[in-house]
Amino acid sequence: MASAELFKLIAGLMLLLLAAHLVGRLFARFRQPPVIGEILGGLLLGPTVLGQLAPDAQRWLFPSEGAAAVGVSLFYQLGMLLLMFMAGVEMRTVFSRRDRNTVTVVSLVGMVVPFAIGLLMVRAIDTSALVGPANDVTALTLMIACAIAVTSIPVISRIMLDLGIIRTRFARIVLSVAVLEDVVLNVIISIALGMVAARGEEGFGVAALLGINATVPNAVYHVVVSIAFFAVAALVAVWIRRRTGDRPPMPRPGEVALRLVVLLSVVALCVFLGVAPIFGAFVVGLMSGRRGRPDENEALVSIRRFSAGFFIPIYFAVVGFRLDLVHALDLWFTVGFILVACLAKAASVYLGARLTRRSRPDSANLAVALNARGGPGIVLATVAYDAGIVNESMFTTLILTAIVTSQLAGWALEIAVRRGALKADDDATPVTAERKPQDAVVT
């Protein structure tokens, strides 16, 4: 790498990291999701702000091609994989037989109804204004449906932790529903990404070796391989749990490196199979989280701290950097999409909660909490944009939907706590260990 390219890479990473942490800390100070601040930090360095004030300097520091651009892209990809890995780790068991009926019904209604509305939405609008270079309307349809149905576990966890209701039965129900939804939706996202990648990279992977080119066999292959991958991973996790139990293992030299080697190996296998790499990272995290509490495992704590301090903030900063609110924002379409997404998700969750005979205030609070899309919504938008499934305008809409719904959830739940509609429940089973904010992976 030439000296000039190395300088641009180091300077770009330094500015992205600095902006993400400074604005993220500012948001945290006012009890807002730091992830939104990290995105806005990147926005300041992108075409929306710096590109308008000093376009030549912005293009010189952050070139679109060359070694520096490839380097930033690599850190961005690693940040996304570590984010999904840690999201899987945090999804340890939160289920309770006491809440089984509520969790089951709310999960089904709260996921199926908005997903179906997303499918109908694509049929009712002109997709030519949304589809990306891949020109795959089927993948676009699946991504939009998932974007409307998805829930952010880390964001809503952090909001409830800040409000002092993380150990309540309400929190346990919210997290249980969100875990079930995110597992199912990650499978669907993996299928959509695999279908597009298989056509865009002919000659590589299992699908190419099998000679699968037609649309229908290609879709069937990626449905089968994604579900099979998750099933095999679940069986392996059960086998590991029976061999080791739920107690955290004793720390071993090189355990951090070993876990990262396993993560990268599974991600590479996913690329070869045609499974979305983020799904592989997510599954490895799920398997890791089964062995005791993550905050009791020194290796996981080390990975989480470094990821949360470096790779993940850079990922979110790059997300904000790529937003062009001057040229790519379709304001009225974005407002309409956010309204449809909020109404579809909130109404379906509220309906599911009422079907289980929960009170109206409790049902409304569940609807508000499960409407936050946060990190998963942002990841969905970025992988869809990278794969060419959505264009820049739709990418901007999906990112803003994730940001706005997360903010609305935080504000609404804070009002509910202030008014006494949500109170601490001392006899509830703890759903997560309290830890210092700087140690948490907030997405």
Side-chain angles (χ1 to χ4, degrees), residues 227-242:
I227 295 175
F229 174 82
F230 183 77
V232 171
L235 292 175
V236 172
V238 170
W239 178 78
I240 293 175
R241 186 181 182 187
R242 289 179 178 177

Side-chain angles (χ1 to χ4, degrees), residues 261-315:
V261 166
V262 172
L263 171 62
L264 294 176
S265 298
V266 173
V267 167
L269 176 63
C270 287
V271 173
F272 186 68
L273 291 175
V275 177
I278 60 166
F279 185 53
F282 177 77
V283 170
V284 174
L286 280 176
M287 294 171 63
S288 300
R290 299 290 292 179
R291 301 180 64 188
R293 284 172 23 189
D295 52 335
E296 292 179 346
N297 187 289
E298 293 182 7
L300 290 177
V301 170
S302 298
I303 295 172
R304 178 175 62 203
R305 286 178 174 174
F306 188 70
S307 299
F310 183 73
F311 285 103
I312 295 175
I314 285 181
Y315 164 70

Side-chain angles (χ1 to χ4, degrees), residues 192-432:
L193 292 173
M195 292 166 56
V196 173
R199 287 194 299 273
E201 298 180 6
E202 295 182 2
F204 181 78
V206 174
L209 294 176
L210 296 176
I212 300 175
N213 295 315
T215 302
V216 175
N218 182 43
V220 172
Y221 167 79
H222 285 94
V223 169
V224 172
V225 75
S226 296
I227 295 175
F229 174 82
F230 183 77
V232 171
L235 292 175
V236 172
V238 170
W239 178 78
I240 293 175
R241 186 181 182 187
R242 289 179 178 177
R243 288 288 301 271
T244 63
D246 283 334
R247 292 179 298 176
M250 294 297 292
R252 300 188 301 271
E255 186 178 351
V256 171
L258 178 61
R259 288 181 179 273
L260 292 176
V261 166
V262 172
L263 171 62
L264 294 176
S265 298
V266 173
V267 167
L269 176 63
C270 287
V271 173
F272 186 68
L273 291 175
V275 177
I278 60 166
F279 185 53
F282 177 77
V283 170
V284 174
L286 280 176
M287 294 171 63
S288 300
R290 299 290 292 179
R291 301 180 64 188
R293 284 172 23 189
D295 52 335
E296 292 179 346
N297 187 289
E298 293 182 7
L300 290 177
V301 170
S302 298
I303 295 172
R304 178 175 62 203
R305 286 178 174 174
F306 188 70
S307 299
F310 183 73
F311 285 103
I312 295 175
I314 285 181
Y315 164 70
F316 283 120
V318 173
V319 171
F321 174 86
R322 296 169 70 178
L323 288 175
D324 187 352
L325 301 184
V326 177
H327 303 103
L329 174 62
D330 187 337
L331 180 60
W332 294 115
F333 174 79
T334 300
V335 171
F337 186 88
I338 293 174
L339 287 175
V340 171
C342 288
L343 290 174
K345 186 67 177 181
S348 60
V349 171
Y350 182 85
L351 175 61
R354 293 292 291 158
L355 289 175
T356 60
R357 299 183 179 180
R358 301 194 71 84
S359 67
R360 290 182 178 177
D362 195 22
S363 299
N365 289 329
L366 285 172
V368 166
L370 290 167
N371 190 47
R373 286 162 178 82
I378 293 167
V379 171
L380 181 150
T382 55
V383 296
Y385 184 55
D386 291 340
I389 296 174
V390 301
N391 61 13
E392 188 176 9
S393 177
M394 190 64 204
F395 165 71
T396 303
T397 295
L398 293 177
I399 295 293
L400 293 178
T401 300
I403 292 174
V404 171
T405 54
S406 298
Q407 283 291 149
L408 290 176
W411 289 335
L413 289 179
E414 186 174 5
I415 293 173
V417 170
R418 193 185 310 132
R419 293 180 176 178
L422 284 175
K423 298 180 180 179
D425 184 0
D426 295 333
D427 64 351
T429 303
V431 296
T432 187

